[in-house]
PDB file of all heavy atoms in Angstrom:
ATOM      1  N   GLY A   1       0.741  -1.227   0.004  1.00 90.00           N
ATOM      2  CA  GLY A   1       0.011   0.004   0.022  1.00 90.00           C
ATOM      3  C   GLY A   1       0.787   1.257  -0.018  1.00 90.00           C
ATOM      4  O   GLY A   1       0.290   2.361   0.333  1.00 90.00           O
ATOM      5  N   ASP A   2       2.111   1.219  -0.397  1.00 87.00           N
ATOM      6  CA  ASP A   2       2.937   2.406  -0.356  1.00 87.00           C
ATOM      7  C   ASP A   2       3.319   2.970  -1.758  1.00 87.00           C
ATOM      8  O   ASP A   2       4.176   3.824  -1.864  1.00 87.00           O
ATOM      9  CB  ASP A   2       4.189   2.191   0.501  1.00 87.00           C
ATOM     10  CG  ASP A   2       4.982   0.964  -0.013  1.00 87.00           C
ATOM     11  OD1 ASP A   2       4.657   0.399  -1.041  1.00 87.00           O
ATOM     12  OD2 ASP A   2       5.965   0.617   0.662  1.00 87.00           O
ATOM     13  N   GLU A   3       2.672   2.383  -2.763  1.00 91.00           N
ATOM     14  CA  GLU A   3       2.855   2.910  -4.130  1.00 91.00           C
ATOM     15  C   GLU A   3       1.552   3.148  -4.821  1.00 91.00           C
ATOM     16  O   GLU A   3       0.640   2.339  -4.680  1.00 91.00           O
ATOM     17  CB  GLU A   3       3.659   1.927  -5.002  1.00 91.00           C
ATOM     18  CG  GLU A   3       5.217   1.785  -4.667  1.00 91.00           C
ATOM     19  CD  GLU A   3       5.923   0.923  -5.658  1.00 91.00           C
ATOM     20  OE1 GLU A   3       5.586   1.003  -6.857  1.00 91.00           O
ATOM     21  OE2 GLU A   3       6.748   0.102  -5.247  1.00 91.00           O
ATOM     22  N   GLN A   4       1.455   4.201  -5.617  1.00 94.00           N
ATOM     23  CA  GLN A   4       0.260   4.395  -6.409  1.00 94.00           C
ATOM     24  C   GLN A   4       0.366   3.545  -7.624  1.00 94.00           C
ATOM     25  O   GLN A   4       1.374   3.678  -8.383  1.00 94.00           O
ATOM     26  CB  GLN A   4       0.145   5.924  -6.850  1.00 94.00           C
ATOM     27  CG  GLN A   4      -1.089   6.128  -7.684  1.00 94.00           C
ATOM     28  CD  GLN A   4      -1.311   7.621  -7.959  1.00 94.00           C
ATOM     29  OE1 GLN A   4      -0.600   8.469  -7.510  1.00 94.00           O
ATOM     30  NE2 GLN A   4      -2.335   7.936  -8.751  1.00 94.00           N
ATOM     31  N   MET A   5      -0.543   2.700  -7.855  1.00 96.00           N
ATOM     32  CA  MET A   5      -0.486   1.666  -8.913  1.00 96.00           C
ATOM     33  C   MET A   5      -1.151   2.127 -10.175  1.00 96.00           C
ATOM     34  O   MET A   5      -0.834   1.642 -11.304  1.00 96.00           O
ATOM     35  CB  MET A   5      -1.027   0.406  -8.443  1.00 96.00           C
ATOM     36  CG  MET A   5      -0.287  -0.209  -7.250  1.00 96.00           C
ATOM     37  SD  MET A   5      -0.884  -1.800  -6.659  1.00 96.00           S
ATOM     38  CE  MET A   5      -0.356  -2.857  -8.004  1.00 96.00           C
ATOM     39  N   ILE A   6      -2.132   3.008 -10.115  1.00 97.00           N
ATOM     40  CA  ILE A   6      -2.864   3.456 -11.306  1.00 97.00           C
ATOM     41  C   ILE A   6      -2.749   4.933 -11.353  1.00 97.00           C
ATOM     42  O   ILE A   6      -3.195   5.631 -10.416  1.00 97.00           O
ATOM     43  CB  ILE A   6      -4.338   3.006 -11.287  1.00 97.00           C
ATOM     44  CG1 ILE A   6      -4.353   1.460 -11.220  1.00 97.00           C
ATOM     45  CG2 ILE A   6      -5.040   3.557 -12.483  1.00 97.00           C
ATOM     46  CD1 ILE A   6      -5.830   0.856 -11.118  1.00 97.00           C
ATOM     47  N   SER A   7      -2.112   5.543 -12.383  1.00 97.00           N
ATOM     48  CA  SER A   7      -1.879   6.912 -12.468  1.00 97.00           C
ATOM     49  C   SER A   7      -3.148   7.715 -12.515  1.00 97.00           C
ATOM     50  O   SER A   7      -4.194   7.271 -13.088  1.00 97.00           O
ATOM     51  CB  SER A   7      -0.985   7.186 -13.702  1.00 97.00           C
ATOM     52  OG  SER A   7      -0.917   8.569 -13.961  1.00 97.00           O
ATOM     53  N   ASP A   8      -3.136   8.926 -11.956  1.00 97.00           N
ATOM     54  CA  ASP A   8      -4.309   9.841 -12.059  1.00 97.00           C
ATOM     55  C   ASP A   8      -4.571  10.239 -13.501  1.00 97.00           C
ATOM     56  O   ASP A   8      -5.671  10.698 -13.848  1.00 97.00           O
ATOM     57  CB  ASP A   8      -4.046  10.993 -11.200  1.00 97.00           C
ATOM     58  CG  ASP A   8      -4.020  10.699  -9.706  1.00 97.00           C
ATOM     59  OD1 ASP A   8      -4.626   9.650  -9.340  1.00 97.00           O
ATOM     60  OD2 ASP A   8      -3.397  11.415  -8.927  1.00 97.00           O
ATOM     61  N   SER A   9      -3.539  10.154 -14.333  1.00 97.00           N
ATOM     62  CA  SER A   9      -3.693  10.619 -15.740  1.00 97.00           C
ATOM     63  C   SER A   9      -4.305   9.595 -16.689  1.00 97.00           C
ATOM     64  O   SER A   9      -4.498   9.818 -17.888  1.00 97.00           O
ATOM     65  CB  SER A   9      -2.367  11.081 -16.271  1.00 97.00           C
ATOM     66  OG  SER A   9      -1.445   9.962 -16.384  1.00 97.00           O
ATOM     67  N   VAL A  10      -4.639   8.376 -16.166  1.00 97.00           N
ATOM     68  CA  VAL A  10      -5.274   7.353 -16.993  1.00 97.00           C
ATOM     69  C   VAL A  10      -6.622   7.818 -17.464  1.00 97.00           C
ATOM     70  O   VAL A  10      -7.464   8.265 -16.640  1.00 97.00           O
ATOM     71  CB  VAL A  10      -5.343   6.027 -16.281  1.00 97.00           C
ATOM     72  CG1 VAL A  10      -6.239   5.003 -16.998  1.00 97.00           C
ATOM     73  CG2 VAL A  10      -3.999   5.462 -15.945  1.00 97.00           C
ATOM     74  N   GLU A  11      -6.894   7.735 -18.744  1.00 98.00           N
ATOM     75  CA  GLU A  11      -8.239   8.013 -19.334  1.00 98.00           C
ATOM     76  C   GLU A  11      -8.982   6.754 -19.504  1.00 98.00           C
ATOM     77  O   GLU A  11      -8.696   5.959 -20.380  1.00 98.00           O
ATOM     78  CB  GLU A  11      -8.055   8.828 -20.647  1.00 98.00           C
ATOM     79  CG  GLU A  11      -9.390   9.300 -21.227  1.00 98.00           C
ATOM     80  CD  GLU A  11      -9.234  10.082 -22.490  1.00 98.00           C
ATOM     81  OE1 GLU A  11      -8.010  10.418 -22.873  1.00 98.00           O
ATOM     82  OE2 GLU A  11     -10.219  10.415 -23.121  1.00 98.00           O
ATOM     83  N   ASN A  12     -10.012   6.570 -18.758  1.00 97.00           N
ATOM     84  CA  ASN A  12     -10.813   5.346 -18.767  1.00 97.00           C
ATOM     85  C   ASN A  12     -12.122   5.618 -19.463  1.00 97.00           C
ATOM     86  O   ASN A  12     -12.968   6.356 -18.967  1.00 97.00           O
ATOM     87  CB  ASN A  12     -11.049   4.855 -17.333  1.00 97.00           C
ATOM     88  CG  ASN A  12     -11.778   3.521 -17.292  1.00 97.00           C
ATOM     89  OD1 ASN A  12     -12.562   3.166 -18.167  1.00 97.00           O
ATOM     90  ND2 ASN A  12     -11.524   2.782 -16.215  1.00 97.00           N
ATOM     91  N   ILE A  13     -12.295   5.037 -20.649  1.00 98.00           N
ATOM     92  CA  ILE A  13     -13.508   5.173 -21.441  1.00 98.00           C
ATOM     93  C   ILE A  13     -14.195   3.871 -21.552  1.00 98.00           C
ATOM     94  O   ILE A  13     -13.769   2.978 -22.305  1.00 98.00           O
ATOM     95  CB  ILE A  13     -13.131   5.722 -22.882  1.00 98.00           C
ATOM     96  CG1 ILE A  13     -12.354   7.064 -22.792  1.00 98.00           C
ATOM     97  CG2 ILE A  13     -14.425   5.939 -23.669  1.00 98.00           C
ATOM     98  CD1 ILE A  13     -11.756   7.484 -24.096  1.00 98.00           C
ATOM     99  N   ASN A  14     -15.225   3.689 -20.758  1.00 98.00           N
ATOM    100  CA  ASN A  14     -16.015   2.474 -20.802  1.00 98.00           C
ATOM    101  C   ASN A  14     -15.177   1.225 -20.626  1.00 98.00           C
ATOM    102  O   ASN A  14     -15.340   0.233 -21.322  1.00 98.00           O
ATOM    103  CB  ASN A  14     -16.809   2.375 -22.139  1.00 98.00           C
ATOM    104  CG  ASN A  14     -17.910   1.347 -22.080  1.00 98.00           C
ATOM    105  OD1 ASN A  14     -18.508   1.086 -21.014  1.00 98.00           O
ATOM    106  ND2 ASN A  14     -18.135   0.670 -23.224  1.00 98.00           N
ATOM    107  N   SER A  15     -14.225   1.229 -19.680  1.00 98.00           N
ATOM    108  CA  SER A  15     -13.292   0.131 -19.500  1.00 98.00           C
ATOM    109  C   SER A  15     -13.308  -0.301 -18.009  1.00 98.00           C
ATOM    110  O   SER A  15     -13.756   0.436 -17.137  1.00 98.00           O
ATOM    111  CB  SER A  15     -11.862   0.548 -19.911  1.00 98.00           C
ATOM    112  OG  SER A  15     -11.839   0.849 -21.289  1.00 98.00           O
ATOM    113  N   VAL A  16     -12.854  -1.529 -17.817  1.00 98.00           N
ATOM    114  CA  VAL A  16     -12.843  -2.153 -16.514  1.00 98.00           C
ATOM    115  C   VAL A  16     -11.401  -2.498 -16.123  1.00 98.00           C
ATOM    116  O   VAL A  16     -10.646  -3.061 -16.928  1.00 98.00           O
ATOM    117  CB  VAL A  16     -13.704  -3.432 -16.476  1.00 98.00           C
ATOM    118  CG1 VAL A  16     -13.581  -4.106 -15.095  1.00 98.00           C
ATOM    119  CG2 VAL A  16     -15.160  -3.093 -16.772  1.00 98.00           C
ATOM    120  N   ILE A  17     -11.025  -2.140 -14.917  1.00 98.00           N
ATOM    121  CA  ILE A  17      -9.688  -2.533 -14.384  1.00 98.00           C
ATOM    122  C   ILE A  17      -9.858  -3.484 -13.228  1.00 98.00           C
ATOM    123  O   ILE A  17     -10.547  -3.120 -12.212  1.00 98.00           O
ATOM    124  CB  ILE A  17      -8.913  -1.264 -13.930  1.00 98.00           C
ATOM    125  CG1 ILE A  17      -8.689  -0.272 -15.037  1.00 98.00           C
ATOM    126  CG2 ILE A  17      -7.583  -1.682 -13.321  1.00 98.00           C
ATOM    127  CD1 ILE A  17      -8.151   1.068 -14.620  1.00 98.00           C
ATOM    128  N   ILE A  18      -9.339  -4.674 -13.372  1.00 98.00           N
ATOM    129  CA  ILE A  18      -9.385  -5.747 -12.351  1.00 98.00           C
ATOM    130  C   ILE A  18      -8.048  -5.796 -11.646  1.00 98.00           C
ATOM    131  O   ILE A  18      -7.047  -6.252 -12.223  1.00 98.00           O
ATOM    132  CB  ILE A  18      -9.799  -7.063 -12.999  1.00 98.00           C
ATOM    133  CG1 ILE A  18     -11.102  -6.924 -13.832  1.00 98.00           C
ATOM    134  CG2 ILE A  18      -9.911  -8.159 -11.904  1.00 98.00           C
ATOM    135  CD1 ILE A  18     -11.364  -8.138 -14.638  1.00 98.00           C
ATOM    136  N   GLU A  19      -8.023  -5.334 -10.435  1.00 96.00           N
ATOM    137  CA  GLU A  19      -6.726  -5.278  -9.715  1.00 96.00           C
ATOM    138  C   GLU A  19      -6.235  -6.719  -9.285  1.00 96.00           C
ATOM    139  O   GLU A  19      -7.036  -7.600  -9.261  1.00 96.00           O
ATOM    140  CB  GLU A  19      -6.902  -4.410  -8.435  1.00 96.00           C
ATOM    141  CG  GLU A  19      -7.258  -2.960  -8.835  1.00 96.00           C
ATOM    142  CD  GLU A  19      -7.342  -2.068  -7.577  1.00 96.00           C
ATOM    143  OE1 GLU A  19      -7.232  -2.562  -6.486  1.00 96.00           O
ATOM    144  OE2 GLU A  19      -7.470  -0.851  -7.789  1.00 96.00           O
ATOM    145  N   PRO A  20      -4.914  -6.803  -9.059  1.00 97.00           N
ATOM    146  CA  PRO A  20      -3.929  -5.778  -9.042  1.00 97.00           C
ATOM    147  C   PRO A  20      -3.391  -5.463 -10.494  1.00 97.00           C
ATOM    148  O   PRO A  20      -3.137  -6.355 -11.232  1.00 97.00           O
ATOM    149  CB  PRO A  20      -2.846  -6.329  -8.196  1.00 97.00           C
ATOM    150  CG  PRO A  20      -2.874  -7.790  -8.426  1.00 97.00           C
ATOM    151  CD  PRO A  20      -4.341  -8.110  -8.560  1.00 97.00           C
ATOM    152  N   CYS A  21      -3.218  -4.173 -10.765  1.00 97.00           N
ATOM    153  CA  CYS A  21      -2.638  -3.713 -12.010  1.00 97.00           C
ATOM    154  C   CYS A  21      -1.731  -2.514 -11.717  1.00 97.00           C
ATOM    155  O   CYS A  21      -1.965  -1.803 -10.846  1.00 97.00           O
ATOM    156  CB  CYS A  21      -3.677  -3.299 -13.008  1.00 97.00           C
ATOM    157  SG  CYS A  21      -4.639  -4.663 -13.689  1.00 97.00           S
ATOM    158  N   TYR A  22      -0.717  -2.375 -12.540  1.00 97.00           N
ATOM    159  CA  TYR A  22       0.025  -1.139 -12.633  1.00 97.00           C
ATOM    160  C   TYR A  22      -0.285  -0.480 -13.975  1.00 97.00           C
ATOM    161  O   TYR A  22      -0.140  -1.116 -15.044  1.00 97.00           O
ATOM    162  CB  TYR A  22       1.549  -1.370 -12.444  1.00 97.00           C
ATOM    163  CG  TYR A  22       2.293  -0.081 -12.661  1.00 97.00           C
ATOM    164  CD1 TYR A  22       2.613   0.784 -11.625  1.00 97.00           C
ATOM    165  CD2 TYR A  22       2.708   0.315 -13.971  1.00 97.00           C
ATOM    166  CE1 TYR A  22       3.270   1.981 -11.841  1.00 97.00           C
ATOM    167  CE2 TYR A  22       3.392   1.509 -14.188  1.00 97.00           C
ATOM    168  CZ  TYR A  22       3.697   2.309 -13.115  1.00 97.00           C
ATOM    169  OH  TYR A  22       4.287   3.562 -13.310  1.00 97.00           O
ATOM    170  N   ILE A  23      -0.703   0.811 -13.968  1.00 98.00           N
ATOM    171  CA  ILE A  23      -0.993   1.525 -15.202  1.00 98.00           C
ATOM    172  C   ILE A  23      -0.280   2.900 -15.070  1.00 98.00           C
ATOM    173  O   ILE A  23      -0.542   3.668 -14.193  1.00 98.00           O
ATOM    174  CB  ILE A  23      -2.476   1.696 -15.423  1.00 98.00           C
ATOM    175  CG1 ILE A  23      -3.153   0.304 -15.423  1.00 98.00           C
ATOM    176  CG2 ILE A  23      -2.737   2.399 -16.774  1.00 98.00           C
ATOM    177  CD1 ILE A  23      -4.675   0.352 -15.600  1.00 98.00           C
ATOM    178  N   GLY A  24       0.583   3.190 -16.106  1.00 97.00           N
ATOM    179  CA  GLY A  24       1.418   4.377 -16.031  1.00 97.00           C
ATOM    180  C   GLY A  24       0.735   5.602 -16.482  1.00 97.00           C
ATOM    181  O   GLY A  24      -0.485   5.728 -16.594  1.00 97.00           O
ATOM    182  N   GLU A  25       1.557   6.593 -16.747  1.00 97.00           N
ATOM    183  CA  GLU A  25       1.092   7.917 -17.140  1.00 97.00           C
ATOM    184  C   GLU A  25       0.535   7.995 -18.513  1.00 97.00           C
ATOM    185  O   GLU A  25       1.007   7.328 -19.449  1.00 97.00           O
ATOM    186  CB  GLU A  25       2.251   8.974 -17.029  1.00 97.00           C
ATOM    187  CG  GLU A  25       2.839   9.050 -15.646  1.00 97.00           C
ATOM    188  CD  GLU A  25       1.976   9.841 -14.673  1.00 97.00           C
ATOM    189  OE1 GLU A  25       1.067  10.538 -15.105  1.00 97.00           O
ATOM    190  OE2 GLU A  25       2.196   9.685 -13.423  1.00 97.00           O
ATOM    191  N   ASN A  26      -0.540   8.772 -18.703  1.00 98.00           N
ATOM    192  CA  ASN A  26      -1.149   9.132 -19.955  1.00 98.00           C
ATOM    193  C   ASN A  26      -1.521   7.935 -20.819  1.00 98.00           C
ATOM    194  O   ASN A  26      -1.319   7.844 -22.009  1.00 98.00           O
ATOM    195  CB  ASN A  26      -0.146   9.959 -20.771  1.00 98.00           C
ATOM    196  CG  ASN A  26       0.269  11.212 -20.059  1.00 98.00           C
ATOM    197  OD1 ASN A  26      -0.614  11.935 -19.506  1.00 98.00           O
ATOM    198  ND2 ASN A  26       1.511  11.526 -19.980  1.00 98.00           N
ATOM    199  N   VAL A  27      -2.136   6.987 -20.116  1.00 98.00           N
ATOM    200  CA  VAL A  27      -2.660   5.751 -20.757  1.00 98.00           C
ATOM    201  C   VAL A  27      -4.158   5.966 -21.095  1.00 98.00           C
ATOM    202  O   VAL A  27      -4.875   6.463 -20.248  1.00 98.00           O
ATOM    203  CB  VAL A  27      -2.470   4.499 -19.877  1.00 98.00           C
ATOM    204  CG1 VAL A  27      -3.196   3.300 -20.480  1.00 98.00           C
ATOM    205  CG2 VAL A  27      -0.931   4.200 -19.738  1.00 98.00           C
ATOM    206  N   ILE A  28      -4.545   5.535 -22.289  1.00 98.00           N
ATOM    207  CA  ILE A  28      -5.943   5.614 -22.660  1.00 98.00           C
ATOM    208  C   ILE A  28      -6.487   4.147 -22.785  1.00 98.00           C
ATOM    209  O   ILE A  28      -5.910   3.335 -23.499  1.00 98.00           O
ATOM    210  CB  ILE A  28      -6.097   6.356 -24.024  1.00 98.00           C
ATOM    211  CG1 ILE A  28      -5.610   7.774 -23.931  1.00 98.00           C
ATOM    212  CG2 ILE A  28      -7.562   6.291 -24.514  1.00 98.00           C
ATOM    213  CD1 ILE A  28      -5.543   8.469 -25.257  1.00 98.00           C
ATOM    214  N   LEU A  29      -7.526   3.926 -22.048  1.00 98.00           N
ATOM    215  CA  LEU A  29      -8.233   2.652 -22.095  1.00 98.00           C
ATOM    216  C   LEU A  29      -9.692   2.864 -22.655  1.00 98.00           C
ATOM    217  O   LEU A  29     -10.437   3.650 -22.096  1.00 98.00           O
ATOM    218  CB  LEU A  29      -8.372   2.023 -20.708  1.00 98.00           C
ATOM    219  CG  LEU A  29      -7.004   1.817 -19.935  1.00 98.00           C
ATOM    220  CD1 LEU A  29      -7.280   1.271 -18.557  1.00 98.00           C
ATOM    221  CD2 LEU A  29      -6.092   0.897 -20.715  1.00 98.00           C
ATOM    222  N   LYS A  30      -9.992   2.208 -23.754  1.00 98.00           N
ATOM    223  CA  LYS A  30     -11.312   2.420 -24.429  1.00 98.00           C
ATOM    224  C   LYS A  30     -11.954   1.042 -24.711  1.00 98.00           C
ATOM    225  O   LYS A  30     -11.333   0.221 -25.386  1.00 98.00           O
ATOM    226  CB  LYS A  30     -11.152   3.218 -25.700  1.00 98.00           C
ATOM    227  CG  LYS A  30     -12.489   3.561 -26.358  1.00 98.00           C
ATOM    228  CD  LYS A  30     -12.276   4.431 -27.566  1.00 98.00           C
ATOM    229  CE  LYS A  30     -13.621   4.792 -28.195  1.00 98.00           C
ATOM    230  NZ  LYS A  30     -13.385   5.665 -29.411  1.00 98.00           N
ATOM    231  N   ASN A  31     -13.130   0.814 -24.106  1.00 98.00           N
ATOM    232  CA  ASN A  31     -13.912  -0.413 -24.321  1.00 98.00           C
ATOM    233  C   ASN A  31     -13.013  -1.579 -24.100  1.00 98.00           C
ATOM    234  O   ASN A  31     -12.953  -2.568 -24.923  1.00 98.00           O
ATOM    235  CB  ASN A  31     -14.409  -0.448 -25.743  1.00 98.00           C
ATOM    236  CG  ASN A  31     -15.311   0.747 -26.107  1.00 98.00           C
ATOM    237  OD1 ASN A  31     -16.045   1.143 -25.223  1.00 98.00           O
ATOM    238  ND2 ASN A  31     -15.294   1.206 -27.288  1.00 98.00           N
ATOM    239  N   THR A  32     -12.355  -1.599 -22.958  1.00 98.00           N
ATOM    240  CA  THR A  32     -11.328  -2.640 -22.668  1.00 98.00           C
ATOM    241  C   THR A  32     -11.436  -3.139 -21.236  1.00 98.00           C
ATOM    242  O   THR A  32     -11.831  -2.422 -20.312  1.00 98.00           O
ATOM    243  CB  THR A  32      -9.939  -1.936 -22.952  1.00 98.00           C
ATOM    244  OG1 THR A  32      -9.752  -1.830 -24.357  1.00 98.00           O
ATOM    245  CG2 THR A  32      -8.804  -2.770 -22.358  1.00 98.00           C
ATOM    246  N   SER A  33     -11.047  -4.407 -21.099  1.00 98.00           N
ATOM    247  CA  SER A  33     -10.882  -4.998 -19.753  1.00 98.00           C
ATOM    248  C   SER A  33      -9.435  -5.280 -19.501  1.00 98.00           C
ATOM    249  O   SER A  33      -8.706  -5.921 -20.286  1.00 98.00           O
ATOM    250  CB  SER A  33     -11.713  -6.330 -19.671  1.00 98.00           C
ATOM    251  OG  SER A  33     -11.410  -6.984 -18.462  1.00 98.00           O
ATOM    252  N   ILE A  34      -8.960  -4.693 -18.353  1.00 98.00           N
ATOM    253  CA  ILE A  34      -7.524  -4.825 -18.025  1.00 98.00           C
ATOM    254  C   ILE A  34      -7.438  -5.581 -16.678  1.00 98.00           C
ATOM    255  O   ILE A  34      -8.070  -5.157 -15.721  1.00 98.00           O
ATOM    256  CB  ILE A  34      -6.867  -3.438 -17.867  1.00 98.00           C
ATOM    257  CG1 ILE A  34      -6.874  -2.674 -19.214  1.00 98.00           C
ATOM    258  CG2 ILE A  34      -5.423  -3.636 -17.397  1.00 98.00           C
ATOM    259  CD1 ILE A  34      -6.047  -3.284 -20.287  1.00 98.00           C
ATOM    260  N   GLY A  35      -6.628  -6.650 -16.632  1.00 94.00           N
ATOM    261  CA  GLY A  35      -6.348  -7.392 -15.406  1.00 94.00           C
ATOM    262  C   GLY A  35      -7.098  -8.642 -15.284  1.00 94.00           C
ATOM    263  O   GLY A  35      -7.949  -8.993 -16.088  1.00 94.00           O
ATOM    264  N   PRO A  36      -6.746  -9.337 -14.197  1.00 97.00           N
ATOM    265  CA  PRO A  36      -5.736  -8.967 -13.191  1.00 97.00           C
ATOM    266  C   PRO A  36      -4.306  -9.193 -13.672  1.00 97.00           C
ATOM    267  O   PRO A  36      -4.075  -9.734 -14.725  1.00 97.00           O
ATOM    268  CB  PRO A  36      -6.061  -9.925 -12.047  1.00 97.00           C
ATOM    269  CG  PRO A  36      -6.609 -11.190 -12.748  1.00 97.00           C
ATOM    270  CD  PRO A  36      -7.335 -10.695 -13.908  1.00 97.00           C
ATOM    271  N   ASN A  37      -3.342  -8.734 -12.828  1.00 97.00           N
ATOM    272  CA  ASN A  37      -1.910  -8.985 -13.026  1.00 97.00           C
ATOM    273  C   ASN A  37      -1.443  -8.435 -14.315  1.00 97.00           C
ATOM    274  O   ASN A  37      -0.722  -9.117 -15.101  1.00 97.00           O
ATOM    275  CB  ASN A  37      -1.642 -10.458 -12.911  1.00 97.00           C
ATOM    276  CG  ASN A  37      -2.121 -11.099 -11.625  1.00 97.00           C
ATOM    277  OD1 ASN A  37      -1.957 -10.449 -10.563  1.00 97.00           O
ATOM    278  ND2 ASN A  37      -2.746 -12.216 -11.707  1.00 97.00           N
ATOM    279  N   VAL A  38      -1.707  -7.176 -14.628  1.00 97.00           N
ATOM    280  CA  VAL A  38      -1.218  -6.491 -15.821  1.00 97.00           C
ATOM    281  C   VAL A  38      -0.465  -5.277 -15.425  1.00 97.00           C
ATOM    282  O   VAL A  38      -0.852  -4.499 -14.595  1.00 97.00           O
ATOM    283  CB  VAL A  38      -2.420  -6.124 -16.736  1.00 97.00           C
ATOM    284  CG1 VAL A  38      -1.955  -5.271 -17.885  1.00 97.00           C
ATOM    285  CG2 VAL A  38      -3.151  -7.373 -17.186  1.00 97.00           C
ATOM    286  N   SER A  39       0.674  -5.088 -16.099  1.00 97.00           N
ATOM    287  CA  SER A  39       1.472  -3.839 -15.996  1.00 97.00           C
ATOM    288  C   SER A  39       1.499  -3.164 -17.334  1.00 97.00           C
ATOM    289  O   SER A  39       1.838  -3.759 -18.371  1.00 97.00           O
ATOM    290  CB  SER A  39       2.928  -4.123 -15.588  1.00 97.00           C
ATOM    291  OG  SER A  39       2.928  -4.528 -14.209  1.00 97.00           O
ATOM    292  N   ILE A  40       1.129  -1.871 -17.392  1.00 97.00           N
ATOM    293  CA  ILE A  40       1.150  -1.114 -18.597  1.00 97.00           C
ATOM    294  C   ILE A  40       1.979   0.125 -18.396  1.00 97.00           C
ATOM    295  O   ILE A  40       1.797   0.877 -17.445  1.00 97.00           O
ATOM    296  CB  ILE A  40      -0.297  -0.653 -18.987  1.00 97.00           C
ATOM    297  CG1 ILE A  40      -1.187  -1.909 -19.183  1.00 97.00           C
ATOM    298  CG2 ILE A  40      -0.319   0.146 -20.281  1.00 97.00           C
ATOM    299  CD1 ILE A  40      -2.649  -1.592 -19.327  1.00 97.00           C
ATOM    300  N   GLY A  41       2.937   0.417 -19.319  1.00 95.00           N
ATOM    301  CA  GLY A  41       3.818   1.572 -19.175  1.00 95.00           C
ATOM    302  C   GLY A  41       3.177   2.842 -19.652  1.00 95.00           C
ATOM    303  O   GLY A  41       1.928   2.910 -19.918  1.00 95.00           O
ATOM    304  N   ASN A  42       3.925   3.893 -19.743  1.00 96.00           N
ATOM    305  CA  ASN A  42       3.404   5.213 -20.040  1.00 96.00           C
ATOM    306  C   ASN A  42       2.991   5.304 -21.526  1.00 96.00           C
ATOM    307  O   ASN A  42       3.536   4.654 -22.412  1.00 96.00           O
ATOM    308  CB  ASN A  42       4.487   6.260 -19.778  1.00 96.00           C
ATOM    309  CG  ASN A  42       4.830   6.326 -18.293  1.00 96.00           C
ATOM    310  OD1 ASN A  42       4.110   5.947 -17.395  1.00 96.00           O
ATOM    311  ND2 ASN A  42       6.114   6.682 -18.030  1.00 96.00           N
TER     312      ASN A  42
END
């Protein structure tokens, strides 16, 4: 619980994030299911 795992700059458009996931800066998710156990860079 000492790291932010999903950036505030993620643009979520009709998408689902199933934790745990790491999602970096300026990521766009559209009509998509992410996770579990997914890491996405910037």
Side-chain angles (χ1 to χ4, degrees):
D2 54 7
E3 287 186 40
Q4 182 174 356
M5 300 181 69
I6 300 175
S7 170
D8 293 334
S9 63
V10 172
E11 185 176 352
N12 186 330
I13 304 170
N14 195 34
S15 296
V16 176
I17 300 172
I18 304 169
E19 297 184 352
C21 289
Y22 173 90
I23 305 178
E25 299 286 342
N26 302 314
V27 170
I28 299 174
L29 305 176
K30 185 176 181 181
N31 302 324
T32 286
S33 174
I34 299 293
N37 304 319
V38 173
S39 289
I40 302 172
N42 299 331

